[in-house]
Amino acid sequence: MADQATLKLEGKEFNLPVIIGTEDEKAIDINNLRDQTGYVTLDSGYKNTGATQSAITFLDGELGILRYRGYSIEDLAEKATFLEVAYLLIYGELPNQPELAKFEYDIKHRTMVNEDMRKIYDGFPVNAHPMGVMAALFSALTAFYPESLDPNRSPEKVNLTILRSMAKLPTLAAWAYKNSQGHPLNYPKNGLDYCSNFLHMMFALPAEEYKVDPVVADALNKLLILHADHEQNCSTSTVRLVGSSKASLYSAVSAGICALWGPLHGGANQEVIEMLEKIHADGGNVQKWIEKAKDKNDNFRLMGFGHRVYKNFDPRAKIIKKACDDVLKKLGINDPTLEIAQKLEEAALTDPYFIERKLYPNVDFYSGIIYRAIGIPTNMFTVMFAMGRLPGWIAQWKESRENAEPIGRPRQIYTGPKLRPFKSMNQR
Ligand code: ACO
């Protein structure tokens, strides 16, 4: 492998170092490019730009590989709990029994949210999208925990903010839902594990004893693990970028929630189920919608298909597809949108348009069907994604701060007018 690259510009040659990752990923180091040459690089959508060196998640889009800290996603989804995976991502190693017990305890005992935050919910209209509510409330945590405002203060304070984030997001999420229903809010139950406690806060009704169905809790545990990290995607890059200005972790996560919300990113899971319902209501003619997705004059896209990095298959989609089948069978649910999803996938995978562009189902294609089967309302799907992604955001924020990464500040190529004289109103 080359140990440096040579760049020829205006008759001069410049040597640029090459950096090789532990999985042999190759990069040309352009850290000093502008100082040396006066040039910057242009890379819209950062398709060829590595923003950082990270030891958290490895993915190979060609081979369909995803690993957290070296552990395969298949193993983790099958054998781990979400909090074990969260610990692994945030602290770098799998916890032993006492470490996990302490982590669980520390989170459980911080699930309560300051009562004054309840008043903020009252200010939202009932039909407010829960992602907007979540972003606002997560950022509002800075007001209640001002020590988070100085992320460099002490490792103990930083860790407290991390634990509070993990503990409070499910409470805030379930309350956003309850508020949208006009229902009284459910307080956390510390006797329950992370997933069961969230389900309790979502679904328990005052007059009834709510029993968590283990099939539902297991499905949720798996989905959260599959979403837990995905290296430098749009929302994670946002979290790192906001964190690079030394803003609080709560603010950085709030920005991550906003970035995740968009339909081209985490918001796709809501869009997928709405698309499947639309196709079902339209008579289920899958081919008609495949043709629409291919038509460049039609702005319809097959939601849940395609990925910036995966060009063969998304390993998370493979696991979710199987889980989807299992969960629906175990719960005895016959969901017609599953059949439509399967037909769409079959049709797309044999269609030259999708084959040539390497478009495969992504993590969002089947996740919505499981979420719906376990009772999560459609507008909460992306909130579920955020809950899963939280440890990844935290780990990436922590790594970036520990490595003292400089403030993120891209360059640009200016294409506007050159200097021109100002004309007062009567001269225009
Ligand atoms: N349906 C139809 N055509 C598509 C789709 C799709 N879902 N996705 C990509 N294409 C086509 C594009 O029109 C383009 O065609 P062209 O070369 O003829 O112009 C080509 O495939 C490449 O697509 P880009 O948009 O350039 O690819 P990019 O890497 O920028 O975008 C993205 C990736 C945003 C995921 C895209 O595939 C998409 O919009 N998918 C649907 C939304 C979705 O499911 N998002 C969730 C992604 S996973 C996640 O974030 C958790």
Side-chain angles (χ1 to χ4, degrees):
M1 253 179 265
D3 57 4
Q4 61 178 26
T6 308
L7 177 69
K8 271 192 187 170
L9 270 177
E10 299 173 1
K12 286 192 207 143
E13 281 196 2
F14 302 92
N15 290 328
L16 301 167
V18 161
I19 292 181
I20 313 282
T22 48
E23 290 283 353
D24 292 337
E25 289 175 302
K26 295 171 281 196
I28 299 166
D29 179 349
I30 59 159
N31 270 296
N32 297 317
L33 184 71
R34 190 167 176 280
D35 286 347
Q36 277 181 283
T37 67
Y39 282 71
V40 297
T41 56
L42 193 59
D43 184 20
S44 52
Y46 309 119
K47 294 189 182 190
N48 306 284
T49 297
T52 189
Q53 297 190 55
S54 175
I56 302 170
T57 288
F58 170 69
L59 75 82
D60 182 323
E62 275 72 35
L63 296 178
I65 292 173
L66 173 61
R67 293 182 200 138
Y68 301 158
R69 305 270 188 196
Y71 296 98
S72 82
I73 191 65
E74 289 80 7
D75 258 5
L76 293 170
E78 185 66 32
K79 299 170 192 160
T81 66
F82 177 59
L83 285 192
E84 261 181 298
V85 170
Y87 187 101
L88 169 72
L89 286 167
I90 296 170
Y91 302 111
E93 294 295 340
L94 282 170
N96 58 28
Q97 195 55 51
E99 285 165 340
L100 181 61
K102 178 167 181 342
F103 188 54
E104 287 171 347
Y105 179 94
D106 285 346
I107 288 175
K108 260 182 197 168
H109 290 85
R110 291 184 171 82
T111 50
M112 299 276 278
V113 166
N114 191 303
E115 280 296 296
D116 282 342
M117 284 197 84
R118 293 184 56 159
K119 295 180 197 148
I120 307 178
Y121 283 95
D122 295 340
F124 286 103
V126 284
N127 58 357
H129 196 288
M131 283 298 273
V133 176
M134 289 302 295
L137 285 162
F138 220 81
S139 181
L141 286 171
T142 52
F144 295 89
Y145 303 105
E147 63 276 21
S148 70
L149 291 175
D150 181 358
N152 287 346
R153 192 182 263 177
S154 74
E156 292 74 29
K157 289 267 159 54
V158 168
N159 201 43
L160 187 58
T161 304
I162 289 174
L163 295 169
R164 283 184 176 141
S165 299
M166 285 296 300
K168 294 180 199 309
L169 195 143
T171 311
L172 294 175
W175 283 10
Y177 167 62
K178 283 290 194 192
N179 199 56
S180 74
Q181 299 296 296
H183 288 177
L185 310 182
N186 285 332
Y187 284 93
K189 259 193 176 175
N190 285 351
L192 297 172
D193 64 68
Y194 197 80
C195 291
S196 303
N197 180 41
F198 173 72
L199 293 167
H200 151 77
M201 289 189 287
M202 284 285 288
F203 301 121
L205 295 172
E208 296 165 17
E209 180 60 22
Y210 174 74
K211 272 208 164 329
V212 178
D213 183 336
V215 173
V216 173
D218 279 359
L220 181 57
N221 182 63
K222 201 184 278 277
L223 283 168
L224 296 184
I225 291 173
L226 291 172
H227 284 101
D229 196 47
H230 213 232
E231 50 118 301
Q232 308 310 317
N233 56 81
C234 175
S235 55
T236 302
S237 300
T238 302
V239 169
R240 285 186 90 123
L241 191 64
V242 173
S244 77
S245 75
K246 298 197 179 165
S248 125
L249 173 62
Y250 299 132
S251 318
V253 167
S254 167
I257 292 172
C258 292
L260 186 73
W261 190 1
L264 297 188
H265 191 15
N269 57 12
Q270 174 173 345
E271 301 269 331
V272 169
I273 213 82
E274 285 168 358
M275 171 189 81
L276 296 174
E277 276 167 354
K278 208 167 168 183
I279 298 175
H280 178 59
D282 186 52
N285 182 350
V286 161
Q287 201 51 43
K288 170 179 157 187
W289 292 85
I290 291 278
E291 294 310 319
K292 270 169 79 64
K294 287 157 50 176
D295 182 354
K296 295 291 174 199
N297 298 317
D298 187 327
N299 61 14
F300 172 76
R301 273 196 169 195
L302 201 51
M303 298 312 286
F305 254 75
H307 197 276
R308 171 59 63 78
V309 183
Y310 292 121
K311 299 297 173 196
N312 181 341
F313 68 95
D314 179 338
R316 301 166 302 172
K318 235 182 175 176
I319 301 170
I320 291 189
K321 186 181 178 186
K322 176 156 186 321
C324 189
D325 256 352
D326 292 351
V327 170
L328 262 58
K329 260 188 212 129
K330 279 188 199 157
L331 296 177
I333 293 174
N334 181 15
D335 185 340
T337 59
L338 176 60
E339 201 186 319
I340 295 202
Q342 286 163 339
K343 281 189 187 156
L344 268 179
E345 182 185 347
E346 251 172 59
L349 293 185
T350 49
D351 189 303
Y353 174 96
F354 292 89
I355 296 172
E356 278 158 23
R357 289 170 181 74
K358 302 190 165 131
L359 302 171
Y360 296 87
N362 60 48
V363 67
D364 289 324
F365 196 61
Y366 286 101
S367 65
I369 301 178
I370 309 190
Y371 282 136
R372 192 157 68 167
I374 65 176
I376 308 287
T378 312
N379 69 356
M380 283 290 290
F381 288 0
T382 315
V383 174
M384 305 307 296
F385 193 152
M387 213 165 107
R389 184 55 53 88
L390 180 65
W393 287 335
I394 293 172
Q396 300 271 352
W397 175 89
K398 184 169 171 276
E399 180 182 71
S400 144
R401 295 304 79 227
E402 285 170 355
N403 293 345
E405 288 182 0
I407 186 165
R409 203 298 185 188
R411 293 275 177 170
Q412 64 162 20
I413 298 298
Y414 175 68
T415 59
K418 283 182 179 284
L419 179 66
R420 43 186 175 163
F422 176 78
K423 289 181 185 154
S424 56
M425 194 60 81
N426 57 6
Q427 294 173 305
R428 280 178 233 162

